[in-house]
């Protein structure tokens, strides 16, 4: 009788240790993996961004002729249309950069709206874009609500670009 | 508690009782959600009618990530505690998750063309979701790569765990780096940035998708358990 009650005990605890060891191995593995992924992403930060802001272009001293994606808001009152050629200024409220583009603009393109223009820098510091994409913000609301917000003066143009 | 339901027979008894309810509620929520999304909810002040793609895109993306998170937890449970049911849950979930990820990519592409002006860009959000899709496909391929399904379970579980690193990257990609994809509207610090008239149909659709996953998941799990029993019987016949 006594042998029956004594024998299962060490077996159960050995199984428990194996489970605990596996738990620690998985936890340690996941921590190391997370750390490695974090370091890699941190190191490649500059190439993981989809676009540069006008300030980035100034800071990073982008050379003329180099292809670059520029993102920011279309400055209010800056859009000039001349046939299919459009001129506008992209701003991040710290720096701004004039852009020229010939072609069809996306429906959402308008003043105060986020855009991403891809092209190369010209000697005069402006950009010749060959594609313009519209960016939209995270706010969704019906037109009536947007109008009411504008009326009551609680409208925040540009949001969190 | 966990051991009680880790028994496939007992688990299936509970799951079979849930199934008709989950299936009925799926139809109810998806029907009500789609009607609200397509006919009742208003057009967006900027995007117009195109915003209705959101009611499929956002819940599909949420499911794609939640199912993967569930698979990762199940895989860890299977690796550490060797519960037979945990593996089956992960195996049953993978194709459903892959389908939701594909739906996310497809609806996002169809939405991006009219709004952004492009079907696809290689920004951090879109690329990390594409990687999630490949992780699902890799998991499915790996677990089927062995003649004995029990042997495929361990490598597939490790792949699912390794791939879980991608989940926070998807979620925070729009905050860590600038992307063409807009930042989060629903799960963010200062509450949802979606008008209530649009938020409710979205919630209905998300609940409907979740119930759909539960229903199809139970059906697939039932097939997994039946398959395992047949394999055991065959082994018994050849060895006995």
């Amino acid at each position: 009788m006594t042998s029956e009650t004594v024998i299962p005990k060490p077996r159960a605890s050995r199984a428990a240790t194996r489970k605990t060891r596996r738990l620690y191995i998985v936890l340690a593995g996941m921590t190391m993996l997370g750390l490695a992924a974090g370091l890699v992403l941190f190191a490649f930060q500059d190439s993981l961004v989809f676009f540069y802001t006008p300030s980035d272009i100034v800071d990073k001293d982008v050379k003329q002729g180099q292809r670059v994606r520029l993102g920011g808001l279309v400055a209010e009152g800056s859009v000039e249309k001349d046939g299919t050629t459009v001129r506008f200024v992209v701003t991040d409220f710290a720096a701004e950069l004039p852009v020229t583009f010939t072609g069809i603009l996306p429906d959402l393109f308008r003043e105060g709206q986020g855009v991403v223009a891809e092209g190369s820098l010209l000697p005069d510091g402006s950009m010749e874009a060959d594609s313009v994409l519209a960016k939209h913000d995270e706010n969704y609301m019906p037109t009536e609500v947007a109008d009411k917000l504008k009326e009551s003066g609680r409208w925040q143009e540009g949001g969190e670009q | 508690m966990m051991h009680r339901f880790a028994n496939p027979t007992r688990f299936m008894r509970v799951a079979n009782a849930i199934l008709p309810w989950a299936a009925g509620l799926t139809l109810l929520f998806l029907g009500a959600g789609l009607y609200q999304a397509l006919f009742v909810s208003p057009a967006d002040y900027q995007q117009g009618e195109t915003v209705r793609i959101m009611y499929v895109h956002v819940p599909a993306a949420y499911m794609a990530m939640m199912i993967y998170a569930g698979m990762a937890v199940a895989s860890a449970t299977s690796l550490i505690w060797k519960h037979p049911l945990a593996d089956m849950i992960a195996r049953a979930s993978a194709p459903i998750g892959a389908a939701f990820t594909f739906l996310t990519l497809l609806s996002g592409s169809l939405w991006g063309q009219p709004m952004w002006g492009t079907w696809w860009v290689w920004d951090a959000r879109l690329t990390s979701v594409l990687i999630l899709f490949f992780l699902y496909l890799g998991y499915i391929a790996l677990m089927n790569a062995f003649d004995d399904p029990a042997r495929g379970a361990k490598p597939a579980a490790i792949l699912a765990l390794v791939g879980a690193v991608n989940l926070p990257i998807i979620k925070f990609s729009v905050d860590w780096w600038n992307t063409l994809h807009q930042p989060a509207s629903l799960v963010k610090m200062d509450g949802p940035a979606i008008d209530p008239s649009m938020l409710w149909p979205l919630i209905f659709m998300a609940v409907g998708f979740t119930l759909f996953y539960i229903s199809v998941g139970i059906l697939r799990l039932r097939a997994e358990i039946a398959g395992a029993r047949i394999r055991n019987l065959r082994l018994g016949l050849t060895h006995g």
Side-chain angles (χ1 to χ4, degrees):
Chain A
M1 279 308 282
T2 43
S3 63
E4 262 181 38
T5 48
V6 170
I7 287 169
K9 259 193 176 174
R11 213 181 262 163
S13 70
R14 219 180 296 140
T17 358
R18 231 181 285 135
K19 276 173 191 170
T20 324
R21 203 197 306 142
R22 285 201 295 260
L23 173 68
Y24 285 136
I25 290 173
V26 167
L27 283 179
M30 288 307 282
T31 313
M32 290 300 159
L33 200 66
L35 216 62
L39 285 173
V40 168
L41 294 178
F42 188 76
F44 287 105
Q45 215 167 12
D46 268 1
S47 27
L48 285 168
V49 295
F50 185 62
F51 56 81
Y52 287 148
T53 60
S55 314
D56 288 338
I57 303 240
V58 175
D59 290 348
K60 293 188 193 299
D61 197 23
V62 176
K63 290 173 192 67
Q64 45 167 289
Q66 195 178 326
R67 280 190 69 79
V68 68
R69 277 193 217 104
L70 168 74
L73 298 183
V74 181
E76 296 283 345
S78 72
V79 178
E80 287 170 44
K81 285 190 179 166
D82 176 18
T84 54
T85 303
V86 196
R87 270 180 213 90
F88 56 92
V89 173
V90 172
T91 177
D92 61 358
F93 301 111
E96 47 186 39
L97 210 119
V99 177
T100 320
F101 172 68
T102 306
I104 299 163
L105 290 164
D107 289 353
L108 270 186
F109 181 90
R110 60 195 72 160
E111 287 176 2
Q113 184 74 34
V115 284
V116 177
E118 186 172 358
S120 43
L121 291 184
L122 298 178
D124 64 350
S126 76
M127 178 192 223
E128 169 96 67
D130 44 40
S131 93
V132 171
L133 304 176
K135 207 171 136 51
H136 63 82
D137 59 26
E138 70 277 30
N139 300 305
Y140 297 88
M141 62 184 98
T143 320
E144 305 88 74
V145 176
D147 289 345
K148 260 186 204 145
L149 279 178
K150 279 176 188 160
E151 258 171 45
S152 64
R154 280 187 293 159
W155 185 256
Q156 290 170 323
E157 201 64 65
E160 304 166 30
Q161 284 292 330
Chain B
M1 183 68 188
M2 225 157 91
H3 282 279
R4 237 180 94 81
F5 289 102
N7 176 321
T9 317
R10 201 175 287 133
F11 181 87
M12 274 331 287
R13 211 178 299 141
V14 178
N16 282 333
I18 295 173
L19 181 61
W21 292 96
L25 286 172
T26 302
L27 289 179
L28 199 72
F29 270 91
L30 282 187
L34 276 178
Y35 176 72
Q36 292 237 332
L38 297 180
F39 300 107
V40 181
S41 74
D44 184 63
Y45 75 113
Q46 276 196 327
Q47 306 193 29
E49 303 290 343
T50 319
V51 77
R52 297 182 199 286
I53 298 175
M54 173 182 74
Y55 300 112
V56 172
H57 179 75
V58 173
Y62 156 79
M63 290 311 294
M65 291 179 66
M66 287 313 281
I67 293 176
Y68 197 92
M71 276 170 59
V73 171
S75 298
T77 311
S78 136
L79 283 176
I80 299 166
W81 290 284
K82 307 274 176 198
H83 282 174
L85 199 62
D87 255 330
M88 289 177 177
I89 289 176
R91 293 167 65 96
S93 300
I96 314 173
F100 275 122
T101 313
F102 182 74
L103 187 61
T104 306
L105 292 167
L106 183 74
S107 59
S109 186
L110 292 174
W111 195 5
Q113 169 56 27
M115 286 300 107
W116 299 338
T118 181
W119 300 103
W120 182 264
V121 289
W122 295 99
D123 83 346
R125 172 55 78 81
L126 278 64
T127 310
S128 55
V129 175
L130 185 67
I131 290 172
L132 178 70
F133 183 57
F134 291 148
L135 281 169
Y136 271 120
L137 295 187
Y139 180 90
I140 295 168
L142 196 53
M143 76 182 186
N144 290 320
F146 298 84
D147 289 333
D148 175 13
R151 284 184 60 208
K154 202 170 177 185
I158 291 171
L159 175 69
L161 272 182
V162 170
V165 173
N166 193 28
L167 290 180
I169 297 177
I170 296 177
K171 170 65 188 152
F172 296 110
S173 56
V174 287
D175 302 322
W176 290 342
W177 310 289
N178 55 45
T179 50
L180 186 60
H181 195 284
Q182 67 279 11
S185 301
L186 272 178
V187 187
K188 52 184 218 142
M189 294 300 278
D190 42 355
I194 300 183
D195 190 76
S197 60
M198 299 164 146
L199 185 58
W200 280 110
L202 193 61
I203 291 173
F204 266 65
M205 290 298 289
V207 173
F209 275 16
T210 310
L211 287 164
F212 174 84
Y213 162 63
I214 293 173
S215 313
V216 178
I218 290 176
L219 285 176
R220 287 190 50 84
L221 204 53
R222 208 191 258 176
E224 285 287 341
I225 291 173
R229 285 211 177 119
I230 291 172
R231 273 191 302 277
N232 284 344
L233 283 177
R234 278 225 187 99
L235 277 177
L237 280 181
T238 45
H239 293 292

